[in-house]
Amino acid sequence: MTFSLVARSADGHLHGVAVASRFLAAGALVPAAEAQVGAIATQAHVNLAYRPQGLALLRTGVTAAGVVAGLVAADPERDHRQVGVVAATGPGATYTGEHCRDWAGGQAGDGWAAQGNILTGPEVIDALRDTWLARTDLPFAQRLLAALRAGQQAGGDRRGQQSAGLVVVRRGGGYGGTGDLMIDLRVDDHPDPITELDRLLAVHTLMFSRPDPATLLDLTGAVAAEVAGLLTALGHPADPADPQDALVEWAGLENLEERLAPGRIDPVVLARLRAALPHVPAPRGAASTDRDPAVGAGGDFAAPMGSEPESAR
């Protein structure tokens, strides 16, 4: 009834789980992860105790295979369980109990484990594996989601679709750097949950990804004048020479505070500001973001921004 991918980034800084199922709110039950420790997916006849127990074992340095062996050895219902584990280093591990409903099985490799039950066939796991290994060009979360979508396109849960979830952890990667939970998104009951999860991830990326320092624009000269004009027109009076305070006020109301940088402006924030009041012309010499994919027709968000490929993270 469920298929999932548990994975670690190439640099070991991120761990995550992506899951989809014909089951209500699978994302509330299946995944668990701890930054620089590992990640776990428990499914089939879910044993929620696997999550804290597995993470506790991972914290002590037990390998993924050792964690799987320890969890199922102590479980009298092991034949009905399915679990995938990835540790801080080394290969992942997966287990499928012999009484899990067909088709059921899994595969694992260096830093990943894919598993599923009540699937259309083994091609679902093959698609998870192949896409995960091939799409190293994508940021970590988008790579997990791409693999999940590939699994669905290969057949997915043979009963249909209902829910999906995505969890990613990174040390200090949470909101404001105050926690490790970087992404925790769920679609609990939806006819196309993976597409809806993709939409939520795009919004999350816009709101909470931190800007790439290499793309920041100095908030001076023509850029500052344009920003001040836009903010003033939106009801946030700004000094054309120094609009920082007004920008902070507006960005906070728009939930873009994670993208702020003192004395500079993220092109994604500038694009959103322009989209909020498109009839205000940009002064000559102002920075152009015409090609910025964060804003589509009518100012709608069109694509994830602010994330670099996994290999750069």
Side-chain angles (χ1 to χ4, degrees):
M1 63 182 179
T2 301
F3 57 100
S4 66
L5 177 66
V6 186
R8 180 184 67 239
S9 63
D11 61 10
H13 292 162
L14 297 103
H15 283 83
V17 182
V19 58
S21 181
R22 178 64 170 83
F23 187 89
L24 181 69
L29 303 176
V30 172
E34 185 173 327
Q36 296 184 345
V37 169
I40 296 169
T42 173
Q43 55 200 54
H45 188 51
V46 171
N47 185 341
L48 293 177
Y50 279 9
R51 301 189 306 180
Q53 291 171 359
L55 290 174
L57 289 169
L58 288 169
R59 271 184 230 113
T60 68
V62 177
T63 65
V67 170
V68 168
L71 291 174
V72 301
D75 186 353
E77 294 295 315
R78 69 182 72 88
D79 288 346
H80 301 275
R81 314 292 193 202
Q82 190 170 54
V83 62
V85 178
V86 169
T89 60
T94 186
Y95 167 85
T96 299
E98 63 181 32
H99 292 158
C100 290
R101 295 178 180 177
D102 286 338
W103 189 91
Q107 300 178 34
D110 186 23
W112 63 273
Q115 46 281 315
N117 60 92
I118 318 185
L119 303 181
T120 58
E123 64 275 2
V124 177
I125 303 303
D126 291 344
L128 285 168
R129 176 202 64 206
D130 293 346
T131 304
W132 172 254
L133 293 177
R135 295 307 308 272
T136 56
D137 58 304
L138 292 175
F140 183 75
Q142 283 80 359
R143 187 179 173 193
L144 281 168
L145 194 51
L148 197 68
R149 181 176 292 282
Q152 179 59 44
Q153 291 172 341
D157 187 321
R158 60 184 170 88
R159 302 168 306 160
Q161 302 184 66
Q162 186 171 9
S163 67
L166 177 67
V167 170
V168 176
V169 295
R170 179 176 185 155
R171 183 66 53 83
Y175 181 83
T178 58
D180 299 337
L181 186 58
M182 188 172 176
I183 298 171
D184 185 6
L185 298 173
R186 284 170 34 196
V187 178
D188 288 347
D189 187 19
H190 195 281
D192 192 357
I194 297 175
T195 296
E196 178 63 6
L197 186 60
D198 190 32
R199 185 190 70 81
L200 293 177
L201 179 59
V203 175
H204 185 281
T205 301
L206 171 68
M207 298 294 183
F208 303 120
S209 288
R210 292 159 195 172
D212 179 356
T215 67
L216 293 174
L217 305 171
D218 290 334
L219 197 55
T220 58
V223 174
E226 180 193 1
V227 169
L230 290 165
L231 289 168
T232 299
L234 288 167
H236 302 273
D239 180 352
D242 184 13
Q244 183 74 45
D245 289 346
L247 179 61
V248 169
E249 180 183 3
W250 173 83
L253 292 173
E254 296 296 317
N255 300 320
L256 293 170
E257 62 273 11
E258 286 288 271
R259 287 189 169 275
L260 293 176
R264 310 184 80 187
I265 187 168
D266 183 352
V268 174
V269 174
L270 180 55
R272 295 292 292 187
L273 183 57
R274 287 172 174 168
L277 204 67
H279 64 274
V280 177
R284 295 183 66 182
S288 172
T289 58
D290 291 343
R291 295 184 181 179
D292 194 310
V295 177
D300 293 332
F301 181 68
M305 290 292 294
S307 297
E308 65 270 27
E310 182 196 326
S311 59
R313 302 191 75 158

